[in-house]
Amino acid sequence: MVTIGDIAKAAGVSRSTASYALSGKRAISDGVRRRVRELALELGYTPNAGAKALATSQTMVVGLLAQFFSDEFAPAMLQYMLGVSDTARALGYDTLLVTETDGAHALTRITGSRMVDGVVLLNVAQDDERVPILRSAPQPGALVGMPGDCSGVDVFDLDFEAAGRLMVEHMHAHGHRELILVSQPEHVVERGGAYVWRLQNAALREARERGIEIHAVFGASRQPEVRQDLHGLLDAHPAATGLLLNNEAAAAALPSVLTARGLRVPEDLSVIGRYSDEFARTFSLPFSSIESAPDRLGEQAVRQLVRRIESPQAREEPPVLRLLAPEFADRGSTGRPPLRP
Amino acid sequence: MVTIGDIAKAAGVSRSTASYALSGKRAISDGVRRRVRELALELGYTPNAGAKALATSQTMVVGLLAQFFSDEFAPAMLQYMLGVSDTARALGYDTLLVTETDGAHALTRITGSRMVDGVVLLNVAQDDERVPILRSAPQPGALVGMPGDCSGVDVFDLDFEAAGRLMVEHMHAHGHRELILVSQPEHVVERGGAYVWRLQNAALREARERGIEIHAVFGASRQPEVRQDLHGLLDAHPAATGLLLNNEAAAAALPSVLTARGLRVPEDLSVIGRYSDEFARTFSLPFSSIESAPDRLGEQAVRQLVRRIESPQAREEPPVLRLLAPEFADRGSTGRPPLRP
DNA sequence: CTGAAAGCGCTTACAG
DNA sequence: CTGAAAGCGCTTACAG
């Protein structure tokens, strides 16, 4: 392995001079700088990351804690991960991916050992046991998803309340007066997926104010159960003219359910989902949706994290809570309710 | 930050004694060992990863290079990643995730700087520019996917030739004599996705030997194009009674195409895909398939990688090329061809 | 503009 | 069974 000592020797200078010539952190004569840089290139010198981290207390790595629950719909997760990893790289950081089930334990390990300069938590629950650990860790942390207690960490999430209102408003504007709202499975809520409540409660309130009836239910997160759920719901509420989906698996399953029942969208049923554009394309979903913007949320979380990492002032700023305003991606799946005989 | 020096001081022993008491690498009196370990726990001591890496030349991190092309179907990728990351953790390693477009550059960086003890390459192409870099890197490497030149690295992949034969044999056994094979898009092949050829060529040869006609074509990898492709194919070859899919996007789109055409499986059309069981569940696909086993391939790659990392003898062994025998997951989508009028 | 030296936090031969 | 010391490969005050 070629070290900075080798470069220094070859260039006939001291190691400190070689180091400075490479980093540019102090004035070095033109000739020396050029010679050192050439030699570094020529000998294929790459600084040893461990040594650098030890000397500078900076690893240039961010931790990414993802959690995959068997009762959750995994494909949606990938986009958050890529949002984080791509942004981190663009800012000069590598990404340590942690998929351990015991996220709290893993977090203790990677922060305690100083493997990372900061951490992004994905899929944060209401009462997430990782959050207090992150809060008392020496590195800054950013969350995607909102915990009950947001103190001491930066939080980024979709504004689910606004999303719930928007869905109802939109349906109301088209003249719908009876809706079905399919949320994530009850397990997700019990585990602390508060966003389910946030959307649902806001939708219910908005509906009440507008004189709309909503049947709010949990749906399964896997096939084929969720398909049965959808059939059951449509059977149980034949007068409902609009369907709101805060459940990716339900959205993915809906086209085949509609076909099986011979229902056209929006002529027979209006539909609004909550998922990303990428998700819509992958699953070929023709339904308008509230964009969940996983890539943007991942990106924002990393940008803020890196600000805190790199600037001592930024580190002292009070924590931010940024809720992304929902955007309506119109795919033409909402219209006037059908005339009932 | 609490260091081993703090532990040593608190325990009233030298740093080396503290280190040995913790690592167990040499005999330490019972009392001292207990005292040191208790103090370490009490003070919340976690060894500094950078310092440890510098001293031992071991980072306990493996690199995972994933590539996401816009014309490829991303959800299939996640399972490989989880297979790698979960197995690595089980063996005591963390995972550095690299999603950079310029994989060759990224590989040079993480191996040159000694951030990782070994590397797993995903989505390897026929003439993958990352492979020669990995070959001459000081760390061992394992590939998921087969390059043209397998020397110097361990290679794990599905046996796509056997898969192609198996698909045809199975259809033949049911009495089919005219098939359609939908492969990945031409871009994938051009970029060097040799597995497309491996499966297709084997299928064609097997078909020739058995007197079966195959229409082999490339399909799009995105919605809604792939849907049009499927319609076009079924229109163009009305006498074909079996459909083979080496294209995840096509498999995901097929149910809606079948419904639209009023085709039942297997009464009107027999279908065999090539994808994972997890994929089948996520997309609710009722088609029998050759299991692509992403989790198992990721796991095998990491296990072999860690063997090489940890054992000097293992590192000297000749490279392995392990092709996973295809397994047929029967979901009842193949049967006798329909009687034609 | 440059060099000698200390230090980051570990591990591990070397000595006793 | 234990300690003092060297060394891993960097960076960065300190001196000149």
Side-chain angles (χ1 to χ4, degrees), chain A residues 97 109-110 129 158 161 167 193 205 210 277 299 320 323:
Chain A
L97 171 67
R109 177 166 45 83
I110 67 170
E129 57 176 344
L158 181 66
E161 307 196 348
M167 283 174 156
R205 172 166 320 136
R210 294 179 182 266
D277 187 56
E299 173 176 347
V320 306
L323 295 183

Side-chain angles (χ1 to χ4, degrees), chain A residues 281-332:
Chain A
R281 229 170 315 138
T282 299
F283 285 84
S284 199
L285 300 184
F287 314 122
S288 300
S289 68
I290 306 290
E291 169 65 42
S292 59
D295 43 358
R296 227 174 327 145
L297 285 167
E299 173 176 347
Q300 289 190 4
V302 173
R303 287 200 180 281
Q304 172 70 358
L305 185 67
V306 169
R307 273 195 65 226
R308 297 242 188 225
I309 291 173
E310 299 189 341
S311 147
Q313 297 110 279
R315 197 171 297 214
E316 296 313 314
E317 292 170 10
V320 306
L321 165 58
R322 210 124 56 193
L323 295 183
L324 209 66
E327 281 176 27
F328 187 78
D330 196 338
R331 299 189 185 87

Side-chain angles (χ1 to χ4, degrees), chain B residues 211-252:
Chain B
I212 292 183
E213 183 179 6
I214 293 198
H215 309 286
V217 295
F218 302 113
S221 62
R222 295 197 75 96
Q223 322 287 358
E225 294 82 359
V226 63
R227 192 194 209 96
Q228 308 307 330
D229 288 349
L230 288 169
H231 276 298
L233 282 167
L234 293 171
D235 287 338
H237 307 292
T241 57
L243 187 55
L244 307 178
L245 303 174
N246 186 23
N247 177 324
E248 280 102 343

Side-chain angles (χ1 to χ4, degrees), chain A residues 132-151:
Chain A
I133 296 178
L134 186 53
R135 200 175 281 131
S136 59
Q139 300 95 335
L143 319 191
V144 177
M146 201 168 113
D149 177 0
C150 291
S151 67

Side-chain angles (χ1 to χ4, degrees), chain A residues 49 85-86 94-95 97 99 109, chain B residues 85-86 94-95 97 99 109 113:
Chain A
S85 146
D86 288 342
D94 275 296
T95 301
L97 171 67
T99 58
R109 177 166 45 83
Chain B
S85 146
D86 288 342
D94 276 295
T95 301
L97 171 67
T99 57
R109 177 166 45 84
S113 65

Side-chain angles (χ1 to χ4, degrees), chain B residues 18-269:
Chain B
S19 175
Y20 284 121
L22 256 17
S23 71
K25 285 193 182 169
R26 82 174 178 194
I28 296 284
S29 68
D30 255 33
V32 170
R33 185 174 345 104
R34 206 168 316 137
R35 199 141 37 91
V36 168
R37 297 198 170 182
E38 262 170 23
L39 281 163
L41 232 50
E42 198 179 312
L43 303 183
Y45 169 68
T46 315
N48 180 293
K52 202 165 188 171
L54 187 56
T56 62
S57 302
Q58 282 240 318
T59 63
M60 302 308 284
V61 174
V62 296
L64 170 57
L65 268 84
Q67 293 183 303
F68 292 87
F69 298 108
S70 59
D71 57 351
E72 272 182 0
F73 199 64
M77 202 61 153
L78 182 59
Q79 303 168 58
Y80 290 96
M81 294 170 52
L82 292 180
V84 168
S85 146
D86 288 342
T87 305
R89 187 82 279 277
L91 298 175
Y93 288 76
D94 276 295
T95 301
L96 194 76
L97 171 67
V98 178
T99 57
E100 231 166 319
T101 318
D102 188 349
H105 192 254
L107 186 55
T108 305
R109 177 166 45 84
I110 67 170
T111 57
S113 65
R114 302 296 201 283
M115 297 179 80
V116 295
D117 294 336
V119 174
V120 176
L121 257 46
L122 254 38
N123 214 350
V124 175
Q126 174 74 16
D127 195 26
D128 199 306
E129 57 175 344
R130 300 172 300 174
V131 175
I133 296 177
L134 186 54
R135 199 175 283 131
S136 59
Q139 299 97 333
L143 319 192
V144 177
M146 202 168 112
D149 177 0
C150 292
S151 67
V153 287
D154 294 318
V155 175
F156 298 83
D157 205 357
L158 181 66
D159 188 338
F160 279 92
E161 306 196 349
R165 286 195 299 270
L166 189 55
M167 283 174 156
V168 172
E169 275 169 23
H170 199 91
M171 287 292 191
H172 182 263
H174 278 286
H176 296 268
R177 296 298 176 263
E178 184 175 343
L179 306 174
I180 298 173
L181 167 60
V182 182
S183 296
Q184 302 276 59
E186 203 155 5
H187 312 102
V188 174
V189 182
E190 281 164 3
R191 199 164 47 228
Y195 67 96
V196 176
W197 285 130
R198 284 193 278 141
L199 188 148
Q200 179 167 318
N201 289 341
L204 289 174
R205 172 165 323 134
E206 187 71 24
R208 204 177 316 124
E209 284 172 11
R210 294 179 184 266
I212 292 183
E213 183 179 6
I214 293 198
H215 309 286
V217 295
F218 302 113
S221 62
R222 295 197 75 96
Q223 322 287 358
E225 294 82 359
V226 63
R227 192 194 209 96
Q228 308 307 330
D229 288 349
L230 288 169
H231 276 298
L233 282 167
L234 293 171
D235 287 338
H237 307 292
T241 57
L243 187 55
L244 307 178
L245 303 174
N246 186 23
N247 177 324
E248 280 102 343
L254 186 57
S256 72
V257 169
L258 294 177
T259 317
R261 303 178 74 94
L263 290 176
R264 293 158 307 161
V265 165
E267 292 82 353
D268 304 313
L269 186 70

